[in-house]
Amino acid sequence: MKTKARILLVYTGGTIGMIKDYDTGALKAFNFDELLQNIPELKLLEHEIETLSFKDPLDSSNMNPDGWLQIAETVEENYDKYDGFVILHGSDTMSYTASALSFMFENLGKPIIFTGSQLPIGDLRTDAKENLITSIQIAGLRKKGKPVISEVGLYFEYKLYRANRTTKINAEHFQAFASPNYSPLAESGVYLSVHETDLWKPDRKQKLKLHRHLDNDILILKMFPGISKSTVEHMLSKENLKGVILETFGSGNAPNDEWFLNILKEKISLGLRIVNVTQCIAGSVTMGQYETSMELKKIGVVSGKDITTEAAVGKMMYLLTKNLSAKVFKTIFETSLRGEMA
Ligand code: ASP
């Protein structure tokens, strides 16, 4: 009987593996082997760990859909060989990458755990070791021969979250992430406690499918008091624009000026998909609750409900490649596909 879980650890870049360039004082990516030498504890883990590194590790600000696909293809190629995957990634855009991957993989039946750190692994006060070691342990959890976690997770500072529910909330604190609309999937203290009822339940009869194509002809339009007609017009006139994530106030409210609604209405009639997400850190869009969101609903703006902006980006890029009619796009966007919305 197989006892040890096999884990593939993939280094894509990020602070965890960075070192200070003493000429410039800036942090830059360094050699993955050196990173591993800094964590002799890995040998103490009960799992079999194999490692792989991006040829040119990235600061995650340089991550993009090509990089997402590179991670996804690495997982896909190795899917049958390993019980779980741990992806080391910069924290800056980790929620975007991890959310996108959750949509790119349909019928995921194994854990893909993203982690990173606020301080490099070589730093005396680093948070990297705990994040990495516990992520590996989580990826290796099994019950009756099946993985306990079967979704894309993000582990940081003692908490495992559903990745597509997360957002980076702090550039300095070790607790850099939050999942404001969904409780953590697991918490690490003296014991590792997994909240089993909150986990994604995969359909294990279905085969893993990787959706490779994403459409990045989208933009995020963040509303602010005083936004002008020319700004909105200019942004929504971008050539080839297919989707807009409209970051609105509160429960999905925006100015109900005629000029604003007319621009949106016209663009929607020309095929633009517009999704309403809230600027609030927590809570949900409820179009129709106020007069200032009633019209948005009437003209065909899609509700992002309690989705994060990060997950909305991934979901939109994924759905735009499916050539859906406006009606079907709306129905599917408003449905939870990977646990990303209530
Ligand atoms: N700039 C770094 C990155 O996102 C920050 C980090 O890793 O925490 O790659």
Side-chain angles (χ1 to χ4, degrees):
M1 202 181 101
K2 190 168 93 168
T3 49
K4 284 186 171 185
R6 299 195 71 206
I7 308 297
L8 182 63
L9 177 63
V10 182
Y11 177 56
T12 70
T15 300
I16 194 163
M18 286 184 180
I19 192 167
K20 202 170 237 159
D21 179 328
Y22 285 99
D23 293 330
T24 64
L27 285 170
K28 59 175 192 191
F30 81 121
N31 188 306
F32 187 56
D33 296 331
E34 280 184 57
L35 186 149
L36 292 178
Q37 279 163 23
N38 272 291
I39 5 173
E41 293 90 341
L42 283 185
K43 297 199 183 65
L44 301 176
L45 289 170
E46 68 271 32
H47 306 312
E48 253 177 60
I49 303 159
E50 285 181 35
T51 58
L52 221 156
S53 174
F54 265 32
K55 200 166 136 275
D56 299 306
L58 297 172
D59 182 297
S60 75
S61 298
N62 288 320
M63 188 50 88
N64 57 31
D66 291 339
W68 301 345
L69 184 60
Q70 201 181 327
I71 301 171
E73 287 184 335
T74 304
V75 171
E76 189 196 32
E77 280 160 24
N78 290 286
Y79 193 70
D80 295 332
K81 282 194 259 160
Y82 295 91
D83 299 297
F85 301 85
V86 174
I87 315 293
L88 300 178
H89 191 286
S91 64
D92 289 350
T93 67
M94 192 187 291
S95 292
Y96 287 93
T97 303
S99 295
L101 256 82
S102 77
F103 297 109
M104 292 165 80
F105 279 118
E106 192 176 339
N107 306 320
L108 184 67
K110 293 183 180 182
I112 302 178
I113 311 296
F114 278 76
T115 194
S117 65
Q118 292 284 58
L119 283 175
I121 200 135
D123 196 291
L124 214 50
R125 295 179 50 253
T126 191
D127 52 331
K129 287 191 186 185
E130 201 286 319
N131 286 348
L132 174 53
I133 288 167
T134 308
S135 293
I136 293 173
Q137 287 193 319
I138 287 172
L141 289 174
R142 283 178 302 167
K143 198 173 169 180
K144 295 186 189 148
K146 302 264 184 300
V148 171
I149 312 290
S150 308
E151 58 183 295
V152 184
L154 187 155
Y155 182 80
F156 227 87
E157 191 64 0
Y158 304 112
K159 288 196 174 80
L160 174 73
Y161 304 107
R162 173 165 297 154
N164 58 29
R165 291 294 198 147
T166 63
T167 188
K168 186 171 179 183
I169 50 155
N170 203 302
E172 292 171 7
H173 290 176
F174 287 150
Q175 189 167 347
F177 289 89
S179 167
N181 285 328
Y182 200 74
S183 48
L185 303 177
E187 281 168 270
S188 160
V190 172
Y191 302 103
L192 190 59
S193 58
V194 179
H195 308 303
E196 298 210 11
T197 48
D198 295 325
L199 300 176
W200 182 255
K201 312 276 178 304
D203 180 352
R204 296 198 185 278
K205 285 187 225 93
Q206 303 296 327
K207 228 177 140 264
L208 179 79
K209 181 168 180 197
L210 172 60
H211 297 266
R212 290 186 155 69
H213 302 293
L214 297 171
D215 190 334
N216 67 349
D217 275 320
I218 68 169
L219 62 80
I220 299 172
L221 176 55
K222 182 166 183 160
M223 299 309 294
F224 58 90
I227 192 167
S228 70
K229 184 175 175 199
S230 56
T231 301
V232 176
E233 251 168 9
H234 179 76
M235 289 183 80
L236 300 195
S237 302
K238 190 193 103 62
E239 216 187 322
N240 289 329
L241 183 65
K242 305 206 185 73
V244 171
I245 292 157
L246 189 68
E247 271 201 6
T248 56
F249 309 119
S251 56
N253 308 315
N256 47 9
D257 293 321
E258 228 174 272
W259 65 260
F260 179 70
L261 293 165
N262 283 343
I263 299 174
L264 261 48
K265 198 168 162 184
E266 190 211 326
K267 296 293 175 187
I268 290 172
S269 73
L270 294 173
L272 188 67
R273 310 283 185 250
I274 303 183
V275 173
N276 188 350
V277 305
T278 176
Q279 291 178 15
C280 293
I281 183 85
S284 180
V285 162
T286 318
M287 285 192 290
Q289 187 180 350
Y290 290 89
E291 222 178 16
T292 43
S293 64
M294 199 64 136
E295 279 305 309
L296 296 177
K297 189 176 177 177
K298 278 195 200 145
I299 63 176
V301 170
V302 176
S303 175
K305 300 185 182 175
D306 63 345
I307 201 168
T308 60
T309 296
E310 291 89 332
V313 166
K315 191 170 184 176
M316 185 169 256
M317 285 193 188
Y318 162 66
L319 288 181
L320 283 176
T321 62
K322 305 292 174 204
N323 286 325
L324 307 170
S325 67
K327 200 168 158 229
V328 176
F329 180 92
K330 180 171 158 54
T331 308
I332 298 185
F333 204 104
E334 293 180 352
T335 307
S336 167
L337 301 180
R338 315 276 192 264
E340 74 283 3
M341 55 169 56

